[in-house]
């Protein structure tokens, strides 16, 4: 049964820049982290999970009806899920260790969230439940499998500082989104395009 998700592709220049950030984080953290591969990087709009093959055409037809105006986007800024606990006057609070390390958007986040909502609405009649929480546009850099007592705040701040010294991220236009199949492999997920919507087809 195919495992599907909907998302937005990112250009090669952004992948190269994101790889620098991932390398920066990897050099500062001792936790056991499964780092995602650059060829799998994307901005998720909706994860559908396992979908029976006979329903894939209906999913594609629903997505083809989603209309949106192209918009400019730009990556930038690291973060975690769950968010790191804020500092207090007595020192840093102890909270859950991060499970996901990500790159955010410093432009186009609101538009991407609206596109995710439109995808939600298009797929709801097919029985796919809308997102339970507000959409948070991001690119997943790594998933923490076993957390060590790492300096998470310092690592993120150091990578943001290094990123700022490099200069602005490349800006790109989001004029299409993609329905992907995700196959789980020993070295991570492999993504295959099922259909692309917008951008001339």
């Amino acid at each position: 049964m195919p495992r599907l998700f909907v998302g937005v592709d990112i250009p090669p220049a952004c992948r190269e820049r994101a790889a620098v950030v991932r390398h920066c984080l990897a050099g500062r953290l001792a936790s056991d982290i499964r780092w995602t591969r650059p060829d799998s990087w994307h901005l998720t709009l909706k994860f559908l999970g396992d979908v029976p093959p006979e329903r894939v055409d209906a999913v594609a037809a629903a997505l083809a009806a989603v209309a949106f105006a192209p918009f400019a986007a730009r990556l930038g800024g690291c973060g975690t899920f769950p968010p790191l606990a804020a500092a207090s006057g007595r020192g840093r609070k102890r909270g859950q260790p991060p499970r996901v390390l990500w790159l955010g958007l410093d432009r186009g986040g609101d538009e991407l969230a609206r596109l995710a909502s439109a995808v939600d609405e298009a797929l709801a009649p097919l029985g796919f439940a809308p997102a339970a929480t507000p959409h948070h546009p991001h690119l997943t850099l790594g998933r923490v499998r076993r957390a060590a007592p790492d300096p998470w705040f310092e690592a993120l701040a150091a990578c943001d500082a290094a990123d700022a010294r490099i200069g602005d991220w490349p800006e790109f236009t989001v004029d299409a989104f993609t329905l992907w199949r995700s196959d789980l492999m020993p070295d991570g997920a492999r993504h295959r395009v099922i259909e692309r919507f917008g951008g001339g087809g």
Side-chain angles (χ1 to χ4, degrees):
M1 189 179 296
R3 185 171 178 261
L4 307 183
F5 70 92
V6 184
V8 170
D9 204 359
I10 62 171
C14 292
R15 295 179 191 276
E16 293 171 8
R17 180 75 177 269
V20 173
V21 176
R22 184 190 65 176
H23 180 74
C24 176
L25 286 170
R28 288 171 167 78
L29 300 171
S31 294
D32 180 10
I33 299 170
R34 169 165 279 185
W35 298 102
T36 55
R37 298 189 316 272
D39 64 358
S40 73
W41 285 341
H42 62 276
L43 302 169
T44 300
L45 294 172
K46 187 172 184 64
F47 179 71
L48 305 182
D50 294 332
V51 177
E54 64 272 15
R55 299 192 66 203
V56 174
D57 286 347
V59 168
L63 293 174
V66 174
F68 70 101
F71 59 90
R74 186 171 56 228
L75 295 169
C78 300
T80 69
F81 294 140
L84 295 173
S88 70
R90 298 178 182 177
R92 290 197 168 87
K93 299 177 182 177
R94 288 185 176 274
Q96 289 184 322
R99 293 190 301 271
V100 174
L101 302 173
W102 49 258
L103 266 174
L105 266 70
D106 70 4
R107 181 170 186 184
D110 290 343
E111 292 89 343
L112 200 74
R114 285 195 290 271
L115 178 56
S117 294
V119 167
D120 255 353
E121 291 175 11
L123 295 178
L126 298 182
F128 294 97
T133 57
H135 185 72
H136 188 290
H138 68 280
L139 182 157
T140 298
L141 293 174
R143 294 179 175 85
V144 180
R145 294 186 288 196
R146 187 171 60 255
D150 276 322
W152 299 103
F153 283 94
E154 291 80 359
L156 292 174
C159 291
D160 279 342
D163 193 42
R165 289 195 296 272
I166 296 172
D168 289 339
W169 280 81
E171 193 171 280
F172 59 100
T173 299
V174 176
D175 61 358
F177 62 94
T178 302
L179 175 63
W180 271 290
R181 172 174 177 155
S182 180
D183 296 314
L184 298 179
M185 310 295 286
D187 62 341
R190 299 281 179 177
H191 301 155
R192 187 173 70 196
V193 173
I194 293 179
E195 193 166 339
R196 184 175 166 89
F197 308 94

